[in-house]
Amino acid sequence: SDIERLYIHESVENVVPPEDFLAAFDDLEIPNELVGDGETYEDGDAVATYVPRPEFLDASWIHCIRAGHDAFDTRDYENRGVPLTNTSGIHGATVGELAIGYMLSLSRLVHVYRDHQNEDDWYSPEYERPFTVENEQLCVVGLGTLGTGIAKRADALGMDVVGVRRRQEAVPGVPEVYPPDKLGDAIAEARFVALTVPHTPETESMISDGEFETMRDDAYLINVGRGPVVDEAALVEALRSENIAGAALDVFEEEPLPAESPLWDFEDVIISPHKGSATNRYHLDIAEVVKENIEKIKHGESLTNRVA
Ligand code: NDP
Ligand code: 7N6
């Protein structure tokens, strides 16, 4: 049935200013409203939300404003026949540019110079340390919106890009695509390993002791997917034992990253507080996906990004 009302759950504040997000729907013919917990929903209601809530199962359609819908139990939605959609498809440039920024900093030491700037220190690194990313190998694990967003930008910088995914589909800028059971081969020669897979039972702790053994000693791990994809204790150990050279991390097993985490203190670990997707037009990018699906429901077409 048609969507008659659009509710925006207040949890969207985790990512976007709720009032700005709400205003992005003002051009629709249907009413929109900001709601909190404990609301009642009925047929014809749609909810865009950051968190899952049991009462959402009474509505006609739920949209998760995140690309990763791992906080939602898809079985609940399937059992009730309520469609659940996510916001994959919009983060190629945002997360892609962040990952490129990480690699350019790790190679040209921008983060190190800033650390020294904080001490008014005109610093000269060891001659051996800086390098260009040009001609270095990047392995992108997961070749969806995020992964291809990183791959095509890395390709433009003259990097040699390989990737990992389950489906053996050709990906522009990625001449070599490995299946997940060849992960070791895919990461063995890489200077940078970038993780862009969703958190699923298959990807949990996909990068652990064995993978850090396999990686080059001068390699850097980039994680912009989800924290649990990496065994964080193994990562800390790999950094301590100099089994890898460093890391750039946007996502963590526990967020916010606890103050006592050793990850804060490595010079060649760059930490961003889950801001890979944060830009000043994030609310508009998400709203576009929601509006596209409101149109699709109206025309009886199948939903984009349906995950349950
Ligand atoms: P997509 O669905 O477009 O891409 C996911 C990719 O992962 C697909 O190419 C899929 O390919 C691959 N994949 C899935 N399972 C496996 C596996 N077991 N082994 C290898 N590859 C696998 O999603 P997005 O790119 O939009 O987002 C990916 C994830 O990134 C999200 O789920 C979310 O967790 C995270 N994210 C983080 C953000 C941040 O702020 N840091 C922002 C946005 C997203 P195939 O099916 O062929 O295996
Ligand atoms: C919100 C980032 C996603 O999955 O994790 C991202 O889209 C959202 C802080």
Side-chain angles (χ1 to χ4, degrees), residues 213-234:
E213 279 298 329
T214 302
M215 282 169 69
R216 288 165 51 170
D217 291 352
D218 61 357
Y220 299 88
L221 180 75
I222 294 171
N223 190 5
V224 287
R226 279 289 185 268
V229 174
V230 177
D231 176 342
E232 218 166 84

Side-chain angles (χ1 to χ4, degrees), residues 68 88 143-146 165-167 196 198 224-226 250 274:
S88 182
L143 288 167
T145 301
L146 267 64
R165 72 178 306 173
R166 291 167 303 182
R167 285 168 291 166
T196 63
V224 287
R226 279 289 185 268
D250 194 47
H274 205 143

Side-chain angles (χ1 to χ4, degrees), residues 141 164 180-190 193 195 202-217 219-221 229-231 234-235 238 243-244:
V141 183
V164 180
D181 65 355
K182 293 281 187 298
L183 177 66
D185 294 340
I187 63 178
E189 301 303 322
V193 174
L195 309 176
E202 294 78 47
T203 64
E204 189 163 310
S205 292
M206 185 180 207
I207 303 293
S208 190
D209 293 316
E211 287 68 35
F212 291 122
E213 279 298 329
T214 302
M215 282 169 69
R216 288 165 51 170
D217 291 352
Y220 299 88
L221 180 75
V229 174
V230 177
D231 176 342
L235 170 61
N243 233 335
I244 63 168

Side-chain angles (χ1 to χ4, degrees), residues 3-64:
I3 296 305
E4 289 157 30
R5 291 161 298 274
L6 174 64
Y7 291 103
I8 308 296
H9 187 258
E10 61 190 5
S11 60
V12 301
E13 72 188 1
N14 283 299
V15 198
V16 291
E19 299 296 339
D20 292 354
F21 187 53
L22 199 66
F25 299 101
D26 279 350
D27 58 341
L28 296 183
E29 284 151 24
I30 57 170
N32 57 51
E33 194 186 327
L34 207 55
V35 288
D37 288 340
E39 199 77 19
T40 48
Y41 298 97
E42 57 187 79
D43 208 36
D45 292 346
V47 189
T49 180
Y50 181 88
V51 295
R53 290 287 181 259
E55 65 261 28
F56 294 164
L57 293 165
D58 297 326
S60 281
W61 162 48
I62 303 303
H63 182 78
C64 165

Side-chain angles (χ1 to χ4, degrees), residues 36-285:
D37 288 340
E39 199 77 19
T40 48
Y41 298 97
E42 57 187 79
D43 208 36
D45 292 346
V47 189
T49 180
Y50 181 88
V51 295
R53 290 287 181 259
E55 65 261 28
F56 294 164
L57 293 165
D58 297 326
S60 281
W61 162 48
I62 303 303
H63 182 78
C64 165
I65 68 157
R66 312 178 74 177
H69 61 278
D70 42 315
F72 290 73
D73 191 336
T74 51
R75 287 167 306 186
D76 294 344
Y77 291 83
E78 275 151 16
N79 290 342
R80 290 286 283 270
V82 177
L84 173 71
T85 51
N86 75 9
T87 315
S88 182
I90 64 169
H91 304 98
T94 55
V95 180
E97 290 182 9
L98 180 70
I100 296 296
Y102 286 154
M103 289 193 280
L104 293 176
S105 187
L106 290 166
S107 62
R108 305 309 305 274
L109 308 178
V110 180
H111 60 296
V112 176
Y113 299 138
R114 168 56 66 141
D115 288 347
H116 286 270
Q117 182 181 341
N118 290 335
E119 312 294 326
D120 306 340
D121 181 22
W122 183 262
Y123 172 74
S124 281
E126 284 164 50
Y127 182 75
E128 297 299 327
R129 250 181 111 184
F131 60 98
T132 63
V133 298
E134 186 175 38
N135 297 323
E136 293 287 348
Q137 188 169 117
L138 163 68
C139 175
V140 185
V141 183
L143 288 167
T145 301
L146 267 64
T148 54
I150 297 170
K152 82 173 194 200
R153 287 167 176 79
D155 181 54
L157 287 171
M159 297 183 78
D160 164 23
V161 186
V162 302
V164 180
R165 72 178 306 173
R166 291 167 303 182
R167 285 168 291 166
Q168 295 303 289
E169 274 170 32
V171 181
V174 189
E176 204 156 0
V177 178
Y178 294 82
D181 65 355
K182 293 281 187 298
L183 177 66
D185 294 340
I187 63 178
E189 301 303 322
R191 191 73 192 268
F192 297 95
V193 174
L195 309 176
T196 63
V197 282
H199 177 205
T200 66
E202 294 78 47
T203 64
E204 189 163 310
S205 292
M206 185 180 207
I207 303 293
S208 190
D209 293 316
E211 287 68 35
F212 291 122
E213 279 298 329
T214 302
M215 282 169 69
R216 288 165 51 170
D217 291 352
D218 61 357
Y220 299 88
L221 180 75
I222 294 171
N223 190 5
V224 287
R226 279 289 185 268
V229 174
V230 177
D231 176 342
E232 218 166 84
L235 170 61
V236 169
E237 187 44 38
L239 291 162
R240 280 195 179 130
S241 60
E242 298 182 10
N243 233 335
I244 63 168
L249 310 166
D250 194 47
V251 291
F252 304 88
E253 280 178 354
E254 185 184 344
E255 297 179 11
L257 182 64
E260 59 275 15
S261 169
L263 290 172
W264 292 109
D265 300 320
F266 293 97
E267 184 176 57
D268 275 332
V269 173
I270 300 174
I271 287 172
S272 50
H274 205 143
K275 289 287 175 262
S277 54
T279 70
N280 54 4
R281 43 169 298 126
Y282 197 14
H283 62 296
L284 300 174
D285 293 346

